[in-house]
């Protein structure tokens, strides 16, 4: 940016101020949305415990690299091993019950075969008059009893098989809990947080206690920035992001907007939205949890005619305004003038600037694009500067409550 120029021209005694000028030039204009956020790992996994007990060993520490399937910690397995042994005993008992029931079925089938033969023989003898009706009825009753006993024993076999299934399920549950006493890394990455030490007791109830946090890939990070609802309409996926962190105040990091989340976050009646931006971290400078000062570039115009944004807001002293500026201001205050933008261009008389209506493009905090109305090289007013001595200026400020350098 060209340096600010001051007109060092002798002024009448009544002039105790002068106007500061800047030069219309070509350059880049960026419109940004500023926000604050946090640096997060792209994918963070919380590793918890599904069984209760005392942690006996921890094999990793902060910043330890881990591989998928690696053993991270051990929970005392004594109680769970007892459940496994009990489950094995119950399963063995159920299998023994099945064998006994199957033996009873074989015995009942043999009894049934004997009773069938006995009934057939007595029935034949009864037809020849050698067996009484009472003996035949007794044989028939014994055959029915044998059939019922066979049915009961077959039902006991089914019950024994069900008991085996139940015992197997309980044993599998106990074995699964035993395997869960070994805390295993579900993915490769780096330990960024360790929440337990040997001797700690974990209780797995309705909520799984977290033991470790693993960042799966610290070479790719993300920024989670809270953007005010007044600015969120300007933010789009794919826009570039510049940000800095307090650890490296002179370094500007680059990121790209990946996601604009639609869920509103309200805090003390202030509504904001979460914007996610991806950032490479190949050099490992960025650490999870760092505070990021974020500038989302929502509009950019390279090598355009531009002026300081303050020039569009500055108005000279009322006595120095040209007639057309007074008329324009009056019309706008009356609601008759059309909305627009104006700047004041320096003339031969430093206290008689000329008004110039301009059309603007991208408007940034520092510079604004000029589409028409100005040419590079022209001098425009950006502010006024007091020429009073410092003591007189302070006395004047105390009297009128204002600073002569204010626009």
């Amino acid at each position: 940016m060209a340096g600010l120029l001051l007109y060092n021209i002798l002024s009448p005694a009544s002039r105790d101020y002068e106007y500061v000028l800047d030069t219309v030039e070509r350059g880049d204009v960026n419109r940004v949305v500023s926000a604050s956020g946090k640096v997060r790992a792209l994918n963070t996994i919380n590793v918890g415990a599904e069984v209760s007990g005392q942690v006996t060993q921890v094999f990793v520490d902060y910043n330890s690299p881990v591989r998928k399937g690696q053993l991270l910690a051990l929970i005392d397995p004594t109680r769970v091993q007892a459940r496994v042994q009990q489950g094995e005993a119950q399963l063995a008992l159920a299998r023994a019950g099945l064998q006994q029931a199957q033996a009873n079925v074989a015995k009942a089938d043999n009894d049934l075969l004997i009773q069938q033969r006995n009934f057939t023989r007595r029935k034949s003898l009864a037809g020849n008059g050698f067996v009484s009706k009472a003996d035949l009825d007794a044989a028939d009753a014994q055959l029915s009893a044998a059939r019922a006993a066979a049915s009961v024993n077959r039902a006991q076999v089914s019950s024994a098989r069900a008991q085996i299934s139940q015992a197997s399920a309980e044993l599998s549950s106990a074995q699964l809990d035993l395997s869960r006493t070994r805390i295993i890394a579900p993915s490769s990455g780096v330990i960024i947080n360790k929440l337990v030490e040997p001797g700690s007791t974990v209780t797995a109830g309705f909520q799984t206690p977290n033991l470790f946090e693993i960042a799966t890939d610290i070479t790719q990070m993300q920024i989670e920035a809270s953007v005010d609802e007044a600015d969120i309409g300007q933010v789009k996926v794919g826009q570039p992001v510049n940000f800095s962190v307090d650890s490296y105040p002179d370094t500007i990091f680059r990121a790209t907007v990946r996601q604009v989340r639609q869920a509103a976050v309200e805090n003390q009646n202030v509504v904001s939205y979460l914007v996610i931006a991806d950032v490479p971290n190949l050099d490992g400078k960025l650490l999870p949890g760092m505070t990021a000062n974020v500038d989302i570039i929502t509009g950019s115009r390279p090598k355009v005619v531009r002026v300081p944004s303050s020039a569009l807001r500055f108005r000279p002293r009322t006595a120095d305004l040209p007639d057309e500026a007074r008329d324009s201001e009056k019309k706008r205050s009356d609601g008759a003038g059309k909305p627009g933008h104006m700047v004041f261009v320096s003339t031969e008389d430093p206290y008689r600037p000329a008004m110039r209506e301009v059309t603007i493009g991208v408007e940034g905090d520092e510079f604004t694009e000029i589409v028409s109305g100005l040419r590079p090289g022209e001098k425009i007013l950006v502010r006024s500067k007091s020429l009073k001595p410092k003591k007189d200026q302070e006395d004047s400020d105390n009297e009128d409550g204002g600073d002569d350098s204010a626009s």
Side-chain angles (χ1 to χ4, degrees):
M1 174 181 118
L4 294 178
L5 303 177
L6 297 178
Y7 259 80
N8 297 319
I9 300 176
L10 293 177
S11 59
S14 59
R15 305 287 190 183
D16 55 4
Y17 62 92
E18 63 183 1
Y19 293 116
V20 180
L21 307 180
D22 201 352
T23 303
V24 180
E25 60 180 9
R26 287 188 177 274
D28 298 340
V29 177
N30 293 321
R31 182 178 63 237
V32 301
V33 170
S34 297
S36 63
K38 290 289 185 181
V39 178
R40 305 289 189 193
L42 193 62
N43 188 15
T44 301
I45 299 175
N46 292 323
V47 181
E50 297 185 55
V51 295
S52 302
Q54 187 180 62
V55 178
T56 57
Q57 289 179 283
V58 177
F59 301 101
V60 293
D61 203 348
Y62 293 95
N63 301 330
S64 297
V66 296
R67 301 180 309 276
K68 182 178 181 179
Q70 180 177 335
L71 181 63
L72 304 180
L74 282 177
I75 296 176
D76 183 11
T78 304
R79 183 176 300 176
V80 186
Q81 283 177 338
R83 284 182 51 207
V84 171
Q85 293 174 351
Q86 182 181 7
E88 290 173 343
Q90 292 291 340
L91 180 60
L93 183 62
R95 286 173 177 168
L98 175 62
Q99 292 177 350
Q100 183 178 2
Q102 289 173 336
N104 291 335
V105 167
K107 180 182 179 182
D109 288 343
N110 186 57
D111 290 343
L112 177 61
L113 180 61
I114 292 174
Q115 294 301 328
Q116 285 177 336
R117 289 175 179 174
N118 183 45
F119 177 76
T120 301
R121 185 169 51 253
R122 287 179 179 273
K123 185 177 180 181
S124 176
L125 292 174
N128 295 322
F130 295 106
V131 175
S132 66
K133 178 66 173 174
D135 290 340
L136 183 60
D137 291 341
D140 186 40
Q142 290 174 352
L143 177 60
S144 298
R147 287 173 177 166
S151 298
V152 169
N153 283 281
R154 287 189 176 87
Q156 290 176 346
V157 169
S158 297
S159 175
R161 288 197 174 104
Q163 290 176 357
I164 289 176
S165 297
Q166 182 180 3
S168 296
E170 292 176 353
L171 177 60
S172 297
S173 177
Q175 289 172 336
L176 180 60
D177 287 345
L178 180 61
S179 68
R180 286 172 175 168
T181 61
R182 296 168 53 87
I183 308 302
I184 304 297
S187 178
S188 300
V190 175
I191 300 292
I192 61 174
N193 198 7
K194 183 181 71 168
L195 303 174
V196 292
E197 297 291 344
S200 302
T201 300
V202 295
T203 303
F206 294 102
Q207 185 174 1
T208 301
N210 290 329
L211 307 183
F212 305 95
E213 289 183 18
I214 299 177
T216 58
D217 185 6
I218 60 173
T219 62
Q220 291 292 326
M221 307 291 276
Q222 67 182 21
I223 304 297
E224 297 179 0
S226 297
V227 177
D228 188 84
E229 62 176 325
D231 299 322
I232 195 64
Q234 304 178 44
V235 181
K236 308 296 180 186
V237 173
Q239 291 175 337
V241 177
N242 297 334
F243 71 94
S244 63
V245 294
D246 293 340
S247 298
Y248 307 100
D250 298 329
T251 302
I252 300 298
F253 298 91
R254 314 291 181 186
T256 304
V257 175
R258 171 168 55 89
Q259 186 182 63
V260 180
R261 295 186 179 173
Q262 299 181 5
V265 178
E266 186 172 350
N267 185 14
Q268 295 181 351
N269 295 326
V270 176
V271 177
S272 60
Y273 294 84
L274 200 61
V275 175
I276 309 299
D278 289 333
V279 54
N281 188 37
L282 298 178
D283 53 7
K285 287 184 176 181
L286 297 175
L287 302 178
M290 283 184 169
T291 301
N293 302 310
V294 179
D295 286 334
I296 304 171
I297 302 175
T298 59
S300 180
R301 295 281 290 169
K303 305 300 181 183
V304 296
V305 178
R306 69 181 189 180
V307 298
S309 298
S310 59
L312 295 164
R313 299 187 293 268
F314 177 72
R315 295 292 181 268
R317 305 291 176 95
T318 303
D320 298 337
L321 283 174
D323 294 338
E324 64 269 21
R326 292 193 184 96
D327 294 341
S328 178
E329 294 286 354
K330 185 176 185 306
K331 289 180 180 179
R332 290 180 183 179
S333 63
D334 295 340
K338 61 181 180 179
H341 301 274
M342 67 174 67
V343 296
F344 291 87
V345 182
S346 176
T347 63
E348 294 181 357
D349 185 348
Y351 295 100
R352 286 297 178 185
M355 186 191 78
R356 189 78 60 83
E357 291 189 355
V358 296
T359 303
I360 68 172
V362 174
E363 186 175 3
D365 291 337
E366 188 175 359
F367 294 102
T368 298
E369 176 192 5
I370 300 299
V371 177
S372 63
L374 287 174
R375 300 185 307 274
E378 292 188 277
K379 309 295 183 182
I380 57 174
L381 280 64
V382 293
R383 63 184 179 89
S384 63
K385 177 183 178 181
S386 174
L387 298 178
K388 294 180 181 180
K390 185 174 182 181
K391 183 177 186 308
D392 294 344
Q393 183 179 351
E394 291 176 354
D395 293 341
S396 175
D397 292 345
N398 292 333
E399 291 175 3
D400 57 21
D403 185 356
D404 193 34
S405 65
S407 57

